[in-house]
DNA sequence: GCTCGATCATGATT
DNA sequence: CAATCATGATCGAG
């Protein structure tokens, strides 16, 4: 039961209108009886929400300094042309084919209505008020707003290498010179990628780019004392380039974000429009109601920083902000917004923090869907000061969120608690971690027989003119060691972060080998140590068996190797059936290419062009008769896994190890898929694709 | 040598 | 603007 179907909209996304039935009084906060709430009839207005996919009124979209053209970015040279879908309504623009900046194309303009008339959504610090006409959507993303907000812009890292000839006239010098505030980073120096039409694609691209920059900054900064916080460096660069999705606050679901999505940094939540404050736990917006400002909460992050109990997955008791155990909390800011949300009964997004021991800081954020505040009260905290408490209850009918995470955590602690198990370890102890075989779907008893192997079986002894060479690093290879020949071999830098995440896709990664002086603890030995995650082979609805993980997986994490028999040619069996377990390096998809993006945004020239990096290798592997968990990984045109050639025990560069890594953060229990690619003109070998991706090519293999 | 908490300094956003 | 359920580094305990 994968929760993330590529095509099926979640129940929450259909939720365009807030239900008006919960009626509550404006129960006074002071004094409040501890632990109880007053419910009585009320005239509290229902809050109706219109999805942000309303059309833009002509001219409401401000001029945007960032232009891109298809093909400007190398890897998009053969991508479909970006459709300038606002061109018709933007006929007064200088250029009729100005593509839409990402943050605007995702539809940040929205309006809220209630039975009493329009309820205008106004950003907190917006200095303008839109005319209160019902028909006009209020655009909260205007450039004038963002520029006038006066936020401190950090100069980005050196940006060069690309230029955009087309400079905007709207943001003229005269306009700019009037402003005293620090001006926004000139975006024209950065090439923005075309915003994908699909909101999910847009969100994924933002997160992927963020993490690519973050990893690269981390790698660069390791040798210096300066420059901490790669997450902030990456997000600052992206924010100043307006590379973000779903800008502008909104109530309810965020396009492209699905329940269960996981995040590793608060800034990721900000970049995709899920939760704006970089530290604050409560995000709220000012609405107007009866000509009065009325704050309502839109999202909260429950990261366990306050004294909360978290036993029930559908209930969240959230503490108000402020006080800091040194003072009474006050009914202001977020606390006031939550109180107002109680009465307005609007949906609030909840992002739950959870412990993940695979991560250094041990924290992960899970989007858990929409909740409503059902009660509030005041109690004395441990320090004796007043603390606001808000009881959130999860709206029914939504896909499982944090409950999936809690379930898999239990299984990891005690694998026997996993039900519907056919085989507790399909590898029979060959892998470091047992691999469950399960079937939640039908009565199939398991895949047909094969020999489980963690090693590749070569046709003949691997021959190479060169012999293995090793580094002379003692103990472990260090990032600043100029004498490390292995770092040298990888282009001067160690290819993995200190915690073992791949930093950038390369044609081949060279890990330390048997000839190296360093120990097995060396960070340049990742894939050679084998499987680290809790995988399970599971029965899919309609695609046979598949692979997924109990652990949440961070982008860049090594998953497993494609093992099997190296073969010369693809054989059919006695019955003329094709070998369904072939791996070839024939095709690399867009998303894998994009994985390397980011360093370009840092001003680094692309060192290797796509054609060099992704030139195919002669190796063909069949996992039909023998193999490992990789043989169960299905194809998808929107994959979450890619392959990366790695060398660590021989030098024959035509026959590298094929290692799989996570493209993006992958929630537990999400099916792992990679792009099988197309073997070109081999008719008859193509199979109908069932991946349900909006970008599905329709066939593969 | 580790892991785990507590504490601290430095933060970006609205 | 100042407040904020971040981060990562550092230090000490176990």
């Amino acid at each position: 039961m994968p929760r993330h179907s590529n095509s099926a909209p979640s129940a929450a996304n259909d939720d365009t209108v807030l239900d008006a039935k919960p009626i509550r009084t404006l129960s006074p906060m002071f004094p409040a009886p501890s632990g109880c709430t007053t419910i009585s009839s009320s005239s509290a207005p229902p809050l109706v929400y219109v999805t942000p996919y309303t059309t833009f009124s002509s001219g409401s979209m401000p001029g945007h300094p960032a232009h891109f053209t298809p093909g400007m970015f190398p890897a998009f040279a053969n991508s479909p042309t970006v459709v300038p879908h606002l061109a018709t309504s933007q006929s007064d623009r200088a250029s009729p084919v100005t593509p839409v900046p990402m943050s605007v194309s995702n539809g940040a303009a929205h309006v809220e209505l209630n039975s009493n008339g329009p309820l205008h959504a106004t950003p907190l610090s917006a200095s303008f008020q839109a005319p209160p006409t019902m028909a006009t959507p209020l655009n909260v993303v205007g450039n004038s707003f963002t520029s006038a907000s006066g936020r401190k812009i950090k100069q980005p890292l050196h940006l060069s290498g690309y230029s955009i000839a087309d400079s905007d006239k709207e943001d003229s010098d005269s306009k700019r010179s009037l402003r005293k505030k620090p001006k926004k980073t000139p975006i024209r120096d950065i090439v923005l990628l075309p915003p994908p039409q699909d909101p999910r694609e847009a969100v994924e691209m933002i997160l992927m780019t963020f993490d690519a920059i973050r990893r690269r900054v981390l790698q660069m900064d390791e040798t210096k004392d300066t420059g901490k916080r790669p997450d902030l460096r990456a997000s600052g660069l992206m924010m100043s380039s307006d590379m973000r999705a779903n800008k502008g606050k909104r109530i309810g679901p965020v396009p492209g974000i699905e329940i269960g999505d996981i995040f590793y940094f608060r800034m990721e939540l900000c970049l995709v429009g899920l939760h704006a404050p970089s530290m604050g736990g409560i995000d709220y917006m000012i609405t107007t109601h009866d000509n009065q400002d009325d704050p309502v909460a839109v999202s909260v992050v429950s990261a366990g920083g306050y004294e909360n109990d978290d036993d029930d997955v559908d209930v969240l008791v959230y503490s108000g902000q402020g006080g800091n155990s040194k003072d009474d909390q006050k009914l202001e800011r977020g606390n006031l917004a939550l109180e107002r949300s109680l009465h307005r009964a609007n949906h609030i997004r909840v992002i739950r923090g959870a412990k993940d021991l695979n991560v250094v800081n041990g924290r992960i954020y899970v989007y858990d869907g929409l909740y409503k505040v059902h009660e509030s009260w005041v109690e004395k905290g441990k320090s004796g000061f007043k603390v606001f408490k808000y009881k959130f209850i999860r709206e029914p009918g939504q896909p499982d969120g944090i409950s999936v995470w809690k379930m898999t955590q239990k299984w990891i602690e005690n694998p026997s608690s996993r039900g519907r198990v056919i085989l507790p370890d399909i590898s029979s102890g060959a892998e470091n971690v047992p691999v469950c075989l399960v079937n939640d779907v039908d009565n199939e008893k398991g895949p047909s027989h094969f020999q489980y192997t963690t090693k590749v079986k070569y046709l003949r002894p691997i021959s190479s003119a060169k012999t293995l060479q090793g580094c002379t690093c003692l103990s472990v290879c260090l990032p600043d060691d100029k004498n490390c020949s292995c770092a040298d071999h990888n282009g001067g830098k160690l290819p993995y972060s200190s915690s073992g995440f791949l930093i950038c896709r390369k044609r081949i990664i060279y890990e330390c080998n048997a000839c190296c002086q360093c120990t097995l603890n060396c960070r340049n030995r990742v894939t050679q140590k084998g499987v680290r995650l809790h995988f399970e082979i599971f029965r899919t609805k309609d695609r046979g068996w598949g692979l997924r993980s109990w652990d949440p997986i961070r982008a860049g994490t090594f998953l497993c190797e494609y093992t099997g028999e190296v073969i010369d040619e693809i054989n059919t069996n006695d019955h003329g059936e094709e070998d369904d377990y072939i791996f070839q390096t024939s095709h690399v998809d867009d998303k894998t290419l994009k994985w390397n993006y980011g360093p370009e945004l840092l001003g680094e020239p692309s060192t290797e062009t796509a054609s060099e990096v992704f030139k195919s290798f002669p190796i063909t592997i069949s996992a039909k008769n023998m193999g490992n968990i990789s043989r169960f990984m299905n194809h998808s045109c929107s994959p979450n896994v890619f392959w990366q050639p790695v060398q660590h025990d021989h030098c024959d560069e035509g026959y590298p190890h094929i290692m799989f890594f996570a493209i993006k953060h992958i929630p537990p229990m999400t099916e792992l898929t990679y792009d099988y690619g197309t073997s070109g003109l081999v008719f008859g070998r193509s199979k109908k694709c069932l991946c349900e991706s909006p970008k599905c090519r329709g066939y593969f293999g």
Side-chain angles (χ1 to χ4, degrees), chain A residues 430-651:
Chain A
E431 302 286 9
N432 302 324
V433 187
V435 180
C436 255
L437 175 67
V438 299
N439 188 343
D440 298 321
V441 174
D442 54 32
N443 291 320
E444 278 287 319
K445 287 284 183 276
S448 54
H449 178 264
F450 72 101
Q451 183 189 334
Y452 199 99
T453 177
T454 58
K455 296 269 189 291
V456 179
K457 185 183 173 191
Y458 296 95
L459 272 172
R460 50 191 97 74
I462 286 292
S463 62
S464 175
K466 295 180 289 182
T467 53
L468 274 179
Q469 291 185 331
C471 65
T472 55
C473 301
L474 296 176
S475 181
V476 295
C477 297
L478 294 170
D480 51 354
D481 191 345
K482 296 280 189 295
N483 298 320
C484 177
S485 61
C486 289
D488 227 33
H489 210 177
N490 284 297
K493 292 278 181 187
L494 293 174
Y496 303 110
S497 73
S498 58
S499 35
F501 300 104
L502 184 64
I503 289 164
C504 181
R505 198 183 193 284
K506 295 276 178 79
R507 175 160 171 79
I508 297 182
I509 297 288
Y510 300 92
E511 295 196 358
C512 287
N513 59 55
C515 299
C516 293
Q517 300 285 308
C518 60
T519 66
L520 281 176
N521 291 327
C522 173
R523 74 154 74 166
N524 197 27
R525 303 173 184 268
V526 173
T527 67
Q528 60 187 265
K529 291 200 268 198
V531 165
R532 289 292 166 117
L533 302 172
H534 296 82
F535 292 105
E536 71 173 26
I537 310 294
F538 73 107
R539 188 71 178 165
T540 65
K541 285 198 309 285
D542 55 358
R543 293 193 281 163
W545 300 92
L547 179 68
R548 63 190 177 193
S549 162
W550 295 350
D551 294 294
I553 302 172
R554 190 167 172 173
T557 302
F558 166 65
L559 305 180
C560 55
E561 175 171 7
Y562 199 94
T563 67
E565 298 170 281
V566 175
I567 56 174
D568 275 335
E569 56 183 37
I570 298 167
N571 299 308
T572 55
N573 69 3
D574 299 341
H575 309 289
E577 289 165 354
E578 300 283 347
D579 185 341
D580 284 335
Y581 298 94
I582 293 290
F583 179 90
Q584 288 181 303
T585 63
S586 51
H587 170 89
V588 174
D589 64 292
D590 272 1
K591 196 176 253 174
T592 308
L593 290 169
K594 284 184 220 161
W595 210 69
N596 281 357
Y597 284 12
E600 285 84 353
L601 293 173
L602 290 166
E604 297 177 5
S606 212
T607 47
E608 300 172 280
T609 66
S611 59
E612 284 167 357
V613 177
F614 302 116
K615 207 164 57 185
S616 68
F617 296 84
I619 189 169
T620 300
I621 304 173
S622 169
K624 187 181 174 63
N625 302 315
M626 57 173 69
N628 66 352
I629 56 176
S630 303
R631 72 196 292 280
F632 296 105
M633 219 184 324
N634 285 312
H635 162 86
S636 172
C637 299
S638 292
N640 49 21
V641 173
F642 67 91
W643 51 267
Q644 162 70 59
V646 174
Q647 297 288 62
H648 64 80
D649 58 358
H650 64 75
C651 298

Side-chain angles (χ1 to χ4, degrees), chain A residues 14-92:
Chain A
D14 296 334
D15 182 21
T16 56
V17 176
L18 287 184
D19 207 341
K21 66 178 181 301
I23 305 293
R24 294 185 178 281
T25 55
L26 294 156
S27 62
M29 288 296 286
F30 298 106
S34 178
C36 68
T37 189
T38 325
I39 301 177
S40 60
S41 67
S42 155
S43 58
L47 190 61
V48 182
Y49 178 64
V50 180
T51 48
Y53 285 108
T54 50
T55 53
F56 295 97
S57 63
S58 182
S60 70
M61 190 188 78
H64 195 283
H67 295 326
F68 49 79
T69 52
M72 185 170 279
F73 219 79
F76 271 92
N78 48 11
S79 292
T81 306
V82 176
V83 181
H85 61 265
L86 282 193
T88 50
S89 64
Q90 296 288 314
S91 52
D92 52 339

Side-chain angles (χ1 to χ4, degrees), chain A residues 300-372:
Chain A
V300 296
V301 176
S302 172
Y306 290 77
E307 308 149 12
N308 290 317
D309 24 310
D310 52 333
D311 37 353
D312 191 337
V313 292
D314 287 330
V315 176
L316 171 69
V317 176
Y318 194 87
S319 303
Q321 63 185 184
N324 227 291
S325 300
K326 293 169 197 153
D327 199 2
D328 285 348
Q329 291 190 345
K330 297 185 179 60
L331 188 56
E332 58 187 22
R333 298 164 173 276
N335 299 344
L336 180 60
L338 285 173
E339 182 65 16
R340 295 299 306 152
S341 284
L342 167 65
H343 302 125
R344 301 290 289 276
N346 65 296
H347 279 167
I348 300 174
R349 298 184 295 273
V350 168
I351 300 102
R352 290 192 186 239
K355 278 194 177 138
D356 178 10
L357 297 176
N358 293 329
V359 191
V360 179
N361 71 2
R363 180 171 287 171
I364 185 175
Y365 300 97
V366 183
Y367 175 50
D368 196 32
L370 303 177
Y371 284 64
K372 280 182 186 171

Side-chain angles (χ1 to χ4, degrees), chain A residues 93-154:
Chain A
R93 287 275 170 265
S95 165
V97 287
T98 301
V100 183
M102 180 182 312
S103 57
V104 176
S105 68
N106 282 331
H110 62 284
V111 65
E112 292 188 48
L113 306 171
N114 66 22
S115 57
N116 299 328
L119 191 149
H120 290 287
T122 311
L124 290 179
S125 51
S127 53
F128 69 91
Q129 287 287 335
T133 49
M134 183 106 119
T136 312
L138 185 57
N139 189 341
V140 295
V141 199
N143 225 26
S144 56
F145 160 54
T146 47
S147 299
S149 66
R151 127 184 106 76
K152 194 178 78 183
I153 307 278
K154 195 175 172 182

Side-chain angles (χ1 to χ4, degrees), chain A residues 375-443:
Chain A
E375 282 180 37
S376 69
W377 66 92
V378 179
E379 62 182 44
K380 296 257 189 211
K382 278 183 185 162
S383 50
F385 293 101
K386 281 180 185 167
V387 176
F388 288 94
K389 292 285 183 175
Y390 300 90
K391 184 176 183 183
F392 284 64
I393 299 183
R394 196 165 191 259
E395 287 290 283
Q398 302 183 87
D400 290 339
I402 195 74
S403 57
V404 174
W405 195 86
K406 295 201 168 186
M407 178 177 71
T408 53
Q409 289 299 110
K410 260 182 208 151
W411 297 346
I412 290 168
E413 277 177 34
N414 178 18
S416 62
S417 61
R418 171 73 165 108
R420 308 272 303 178
V421 170
I422 298 169
L423 210 56
D425 183 9
I426 199 175
S427 84
S428 306
E431 302 286 9
N432 302 324
V433 187
V435 180
C436 255
L437 175 67
V438 299
N439 188 343
D440 298 321
V441 174
D442 54 32
N443 291 320

